[in-house]
């Protein structure tokens, strides 16, 4: 169940807020439609509920705000806009990557593909999916963690009638299993046909909250749908006859040969067509649109019924909130068993959701029924034998009442304490009310629950890494052949295809580019919502990215040297493919170079949120940092590291097994070289900047 209180977006300059003090609820076991024209504030309201946009208000999902839920993706499934993902990734690969992000088994991807009917398209690329298939994939992403609540923003936008029926059938099936469904739409007929309850927004304000039947009866205009090859002629005749008879009839020309006639009947339209010998292919009564000004009465107030009625105990009454000018229609309460003593599920009876008053957000004691997770306003009229209620119908409240949260957010939804403190008085409770709803701060994206598995599936799910590696191998082999032909190139540089004129060899640049792709804009983290942003800064995820990028860089460096040696052997013979005498220190230097470039790309892209910035940081190391380090050292770096293993052995009084001093000496030589020192300093600075931004975002 969803309960939204006082949703208000931040105003921009002189413009009013896109959403202004919106309160409503979406009950479990039913489908709720958030209706409004384009620009009415539907998407903004959903983003405020999901804490994706700053503003004011509070939203409870089964009694808890979103920031109090440990794993939001397992509670709320979200579809906002198109499915975010690389267009070259396969449908199944995309879902398997999200499985690692949500912490569910990978087999869940195949299960949801079968549920939404995409088994035959599981190997298709995201960029090749049609609109209907993309909507199915979005629903599969929302259902991946088997959430209780679904929040979807115009899920049937630009879909055919058949696809729309299928989609709303899936939502209806989810609600029938006890789940909560909230979707937004701009089509009134769609809302009346597909939802159990319709919440209407106009210019960011709540104007109606009605059952679907009441909405269709009071806010939709009936019409006569006509299809004829002589649509223009029939429209002119109907308009002329209505003008002659002084009747209010509106004829709207639809696309093709269709007419929509408002204010008439099938009999009148059929008789007119018969008298003038006009062939009619279709003549049927339908529910039309909301029409101009359908949401307001002549005085500018929202419509709550067909006609104004005098409030009586047996008729609907209108109560007005002291903080809002939108009335809410109270439902009658026919005699039945008292609602507080019924054994019906909690979804059968809920408090009035329409009154747009701010709830008390500070500590306030409420009387809570042990049979449901809803709270009763202490100042409201108690439900007794003299004021019985049935599930779904509420006893009348006094005027100027306030909504209260239906559960304490600090409590778990399953159990309630056995004893409570004495309840404060009504005056004290009203004094404790906050004049404004609490602020909404944008939540940071949650880290994948299985970061290493997520990173592996992300990196191998598309061909970008493989194409980059193949390009590096080809360029490196051609460069090595060119250097061998020119001559005067040392053997280590020849095998690495590293001309003196270039700051870095192709393998190091490729490793840096692959590292920068880890935080690139092409990858988004949809563990909670579709447009949460790029992958978040988390230490577990960072370690996974560093580990995968290091393994990728080592593999790329090994393949590059092997391909260069093989090509040199095939073209010029064994002389150019010999292993250098100092192969140990050279290998350590080569390993440190490619891994350092990959890590520099990862850290820089994570800090600046840009693949280009990551690659620029890799190139800046030899161009800017190496000259500075070279000037600071002012001498051969190898002499400074001479005898380091021996001195360490004397300090620790240990013997290095298996000739470990050789490896330690090689690593020391790498660090004290200008390039090695520059990489070390650069990685240290980038890591400190990454940690600083991470801590700053957490503090905020």
């Amino acid at each position: 169940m969803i309960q939204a209180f006082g949703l208000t977006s931040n105003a921009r300059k002189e413009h009013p807020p896109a959403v202004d003090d919106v309160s409503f609820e979406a009950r479990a076991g039913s489908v709720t439609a958030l209706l409004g024209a384009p620009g009415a504030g539907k998407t903004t309201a959903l983003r405020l509920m999901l804490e994706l946009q700053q503003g004011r208000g509070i939203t409870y999902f089964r009694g808890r705000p979103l920031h109090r839920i440990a794993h939001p993706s397992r509670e709320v499934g979200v579809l906002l806009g198109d499915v975010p993902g690389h267009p070259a990734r396969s449908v199944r690969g995309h879902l398997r990557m999200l499985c690692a992000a949500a912490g569910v088994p990978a087999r869940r991807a195949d299960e949801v593909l079968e549920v939404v009917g995409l088994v035959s398209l599981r190997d298709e690329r995201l960029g090749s999916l049609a609109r209907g298939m993309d909507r199915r994939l979005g629903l599969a992403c929302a259902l991946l963690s088997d959430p209780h609540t679904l929040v979807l923003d115009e899920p049937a936008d630009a879909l055919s009638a058949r696809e729309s029926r299928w989609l709303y059938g899936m939502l209806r099936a989810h609600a029938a299993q006890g789940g909560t469904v909230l979707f937004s739409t701009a089509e009134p007929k769609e809302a009346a046909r597909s939802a159990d309850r319709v919440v209407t927004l106009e210019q960011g304000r709540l104007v109606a909250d009605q059952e679907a039947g009441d909405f269709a009866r009071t806010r939709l205009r009936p019409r006569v749908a006509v299809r004829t090859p002589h649509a223009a002629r029939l429209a002119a005749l109907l308009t002329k006859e209505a003008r002659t008879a002084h009747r209010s009839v509106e004829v709207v020309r639809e696309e093709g040969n269709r007419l929509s006639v408002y204010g008439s009947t099938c009999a009148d339209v059929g008789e007119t067509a018969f008298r003038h010998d006009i062939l009619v292919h279709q003549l049927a009564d339908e529910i039309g649109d909301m029409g101009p000004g359908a949401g307001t009465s002549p005085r500018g107030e929202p419509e709550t019924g067909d006609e104004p009625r005098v409030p009586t105990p047996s008729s609907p009454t209108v109560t007005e909130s002291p903080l809002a000018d939108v009335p809410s229609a109270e439902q009658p309460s026919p005699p039945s068993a008292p609602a507080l003593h019924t054994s019906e599920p909690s979804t059968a009876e809920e408090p009035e959701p329409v009154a747009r008053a701010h709830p008390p957000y500070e500590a306030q004691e409420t009387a809570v029924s042990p049979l449901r997770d809803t709270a009763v306003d202490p100042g409201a009229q108690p439900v007794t034998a003299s004021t019985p209620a049935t599930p779904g119908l509420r006893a009348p409240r006094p005027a100027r009442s306030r909504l209260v949260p239906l559960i304490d957010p600090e409590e778990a939804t399953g159990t309630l304490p056995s004893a409570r403190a004495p309840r404060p008085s009504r005056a004290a409770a009203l004094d404790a009310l906050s004049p404004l709803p609490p602020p909404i701060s944008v939540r940071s994206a949650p880290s994948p629950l299985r970061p290493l598995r997520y990173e592996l599936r992300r990196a191998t799910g598309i061909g970008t890494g493989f194409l980059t590696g193949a390009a590096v191998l080809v360029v490196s082999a051609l460069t090595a052949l060119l250097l061998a032909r020119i001559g005067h190139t040392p053997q280590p540089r020849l095998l690495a295809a590293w001309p003196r004129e270039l700051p870095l060899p192709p393998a190091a640049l490729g490793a840096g580019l692959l590292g920068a792709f880890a935080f690139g804009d092409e990858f988004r983290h949809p563990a909670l919502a579709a447009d949460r942003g790029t992958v978040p800064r988390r230490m577990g995820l960072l370690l996974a990215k560093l580990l995968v990028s290091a393994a990728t860089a080592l593999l790329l460096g090994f393949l590059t040297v092997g391909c260069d040696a093989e090509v040199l052997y095939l073209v010029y013979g064994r002389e150019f493919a010999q292993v250098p005498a100092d192969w140990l220190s050279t290998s350590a230097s080569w390993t440190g170079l490619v891994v350092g470039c990959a890590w520099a790309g990862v850290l820089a892209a994570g800090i600046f949120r840009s693949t280009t910035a990551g690659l620029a940081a890799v190139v800046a190391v030899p161009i800017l940092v190496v000259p500075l380090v070279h000037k600071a050292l002012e001498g051969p770096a190898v002499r400074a590291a001479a005898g380091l293993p021996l001195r360490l052995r004397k300090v620790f009084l240990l013997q290095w097994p298996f000739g470990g001093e050789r490896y330690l000496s090689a690593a020391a030589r790498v660090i004290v070289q200008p390039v090695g020192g520059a990489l070390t300093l650069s990685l240290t600075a980038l890591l400190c900047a990454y940690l600083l931004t991470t801590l700053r975002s957490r503090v905020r």
Side-chain angles (χ1 to χ4, degrees):
M1 178 169 146
I2 304 175
Q3 299 159 304
F5 300 106
L7 297 179
T8 304
S9 62
N10 293 335
R12 295 183 178 180
K13 298 182 179 179
E14 295 82 8
H15 300 283
V19 174
D20 186 10
D21 195 16
V22 172
S23 301
F24 66 93
E25 69 178 26
R27 303 172 184 173
S30 64
V31 180
T32 304
L34 191 61
L35 175 65
K42 305 183 300 297
T43 302
T44 303
L46 296 183
R47 291 177 62 84
L48 290 172
M49 294 170 57
L50 298 172
E51 299 180 6
L52 297 175
Q53 182 172 330
Q54 292 183 349
R56 304 197 72 88
I58 190 168
T59 303
Y60 294 108
F61 296 89
R62 289 206 291 180
R64 292 177 295 173
L66 201 62
H67 58 269
R68 296 290 180 87
I69 301 176
H71 304 300
S73 62
R74 298 185 179 180
E75 176 66 28
V76 184
V78 179
L79 176 59
L80 301 178
D82 296 333
V83 178
H86 196 282
R89 196 181 301 276
S90 66
V91 171
R92 186 171 182 266
H94 182 74
L95 290 177
R96 287 173 62 88
M97 183 187 72
L98 299 189
C99 286
V104 298
R107 64 175 181 274
R108 179 64 180 167
D110 298 322
E111 294 175 0
V112 296
L113 284 176
E114 187 173 353
V115 169
V116 301
L118 287 179
V119 176
S120 59
L121 300 178
R122 61 183 179 181
D123 295 326
E124 292 292 326
R125 306 300 175 185
L126 298 185
S128 63
L129 294 180
R131 179 64 178 177
M133 298 301 103
D134 181 81
R135 295 289 86 189
R136 290 182 181 236
L137 177 60
L139 184 59
C141 295
L143 294 173
L144 198 60
S145 301
D146 194 17
H148 175 271
T149 303
L150 292 180
V151 177
L152 307 99
D153 185 19
E154 299 196 13
D157 183 32
L159 290 185
S160 63
R162 179 182 178 184
E163 289 288 347
S164 298
R165 286 194 300 269
W166 175 89
L167 178 63
Y168 289 120
M170 290 291 297
L171 300 183
R172 177 66 61 184
H174 182 81
Q177 296 176 359
T180 304
V181 177
L182 173 65
F183 72 92
S184 65
T185 180
E187 297 294 333
K189 293 185 296 182
E190 190 176 83
R193 180 172 55 247
S194 306
D196 301 313
R197 193 169 189 86
V198 181
V199 179
T200 307
L201 297 181
E202 285 186 7
Q203 298 180 356
R205 299 182 66 88
L206 181 69
V207 297
D209 188 349
Q210 302 168 289
E211 299 293 338
D214 296 336
F215 170 80
R217 185 181 68 255
T218 61
R219 299 183 62 82
L220 294 186
R221 300 185 301 172
R223 70 179 182 186
V224 178
V226 185
R227 186 163 58 89
T228 171
H230 309 286
R233 181 185 172 198
L234 181 59
L237 291 173
L238 292 174
T239 304
K240 181 180 178 180
E241 291 185 358
R243 188 182 302 112
T244 303
H246 300 286
R247 292 189 298 115
S248 177
V249 176
E250 180 184 0
V251 182
V252 179
R253 181 74 180 271
E254 306 288 351
E255 59 182 16
N257 54 0
R258 296 176 58 88
L259 295 176
S260 294
V261 184
Y262 299 92
S264 185
T265 63
C266 286
D268 294 339
V269 175
E271 290 177 1
T272 301
F274 178 77
R275 287 197 305 268
H276 296 85
D277 296 329
I278 296 177
L279 178 63
V280 175
H281 293 161
Q282 180 188 13
L283 191 63
D285 288 321
E286 288 185 355
I287 296 296
D289 56 14
M290 297 176 64
T296 58
S297 63
R299 295 181 298 173
E301 298 178 353
E303 296 178 359
T304 56
D306 293 331
E307 296 179 358
R309 303 180 65 178
V310 178
T312 61
S314 60
S315 64
T317 62
V318 178
T319 62
E320 184 177 352
S321 168
L323 300 181
D325 55 356
V326 179
S328 57
E330 290 286 351
Q331 300 292 339
S333 300
S336 65
L340 290 181
H341 302 284
T342 182
S343 60
E344 293 294 328
S346 61
T347 58
E349 173 189 346
E350 306 296 347
E352 176 60 42
V354 184
R356 296 173 54 251
H358 297 297
Y361 298 105
E362 300 182 2
Q364 176 178 349
E365 295 296 336
T366 53
V368 181
S369 169
L371 299 180
R372 58 175 183 168
D373 60 350
T374 59
V376 182
D377 190 345
Q381 180 178 352
V383 179
T384 60
S386 60
T387 58
T390 58
L393 300 178
R394 292 159 294 281
R397 283 186 181 180
R400 299 187 180 275
S401 63
R402 289 178 179 264
L403 286 177
V404 297
L406 300 190
I407 192 169
D408 188 351
E410 300 291 341
E411 297 176 350
T413 57
T415 60
L416 291 174
S418 57
R420 287 184 175 271
R423 192 169 49 183
S425 63
R426 177 67 175 174
L430 290 177
D431 292 339
L433 295 179
S434 174
L436 291 175
I440 299 175
S441 58
V442 178
R443 293 184 66 249
S444 58
S447 178
L449 298 182
R450 299 172 181 174
L452 183 58
R453 193 174 302 178
Y454 169 85
E455 181 62 20
L456 286 173
R457 290 173 180 168
R458 182 206 61 76
T460 59
I462 59 176
T464 303
F466 301 103
L467 293 177
T468 303
V472 167
L473 294 179
V474 172
V475 172
S476 181
L478 294 177
T479 305
L481 290 177
L482 182 61
L483 292 177
R485 182 177 181 84
I486 295 175
H488 308 290
T489 302
Q491 185 68 15
R493 282 185 171 268
L494 186 62
L495 292 177
W498 189 359
R500 296 182 183 275
E501 294 78 9
L502 295 181
L504 288 174
L509 288 174
L513 181 60
L514 291 178
F517 278 153
F519 278 103
D521 293 336
E522 59 179 306
F523 303 112
R524 295 182 179 272
H525 182 69
L528 174 63
D531 51 357
R532 172 67 69 178
T534 51
V535 181
R537 300 183 180 99
R538 294 292 187 274
M539 292 308 300
L541 185 60
L542 176 63
L543 293 177
K545 290 183 178 297
L546 292 178
L547 182 60
V548 172
S549 62
T552 305
L554 287 176
L555 179 61
L556 183 61
F558 176 78
L559 291 177
T560 300
V561 173
C563 290
D564 293 346
E566 186 67 22
V567 170
L568 291 173
Y569 172 76
L570 292 176
V571 176
Y572 296 108
R574 187 180 298 274
E575 178 183 0
F576 290 90
Q578 293 179 355
V579 178
D582 56 342
W583 64 271
L584 182 59
S585 60
T586 303
S587 300
S589 301
W590 180 245
T591 300
L593 179 64
V594 294
V595 173
C597 289
W599 285 358
V602 171
L603 292 173
I607 294 172
F608 300 106
R609 301 298 194 189
S610 172
T611 303
T612 305
L615 186 59
V618 174
V619 178
V621 171
I623 295 179
L624 299 178
V625 186
V626 169
L628 298 177
V629 174
H630 186 70
K631 291 181 179 180
L633 292 177
E634 295 181 353
V638 179
R639 294 180 184 177
L644 178 61
L646 181 60
R647 290 194 295 271
L648 289 176
R649 183 168 54 187
K650 290 181 179 180
V651 172
F652 294 103
L653 300 177
L654 295 175
Q655 297 294 328
W656 297 97
F658 307 107
E661 61 271 8
R662 295 191 304 161
Y663 301 101
L664 183 59
S665 177
R669 290 192 183 96
V670 171
I671 294 176
V672 298
Q673 289 176 359
V675 176
L679 271 178
T680 303
L681 292 176
S682 301
L683 291 177
T684 303
L686 289 173
L687 182 59
C688 292
Y690 185 93
L691 295 177
L692 179 61
T693 54
T694 302
L695 293 176
R696 186 179 61 181
S697 63
R698 291 188 178 183
V699 169
R700 287 181 178 178

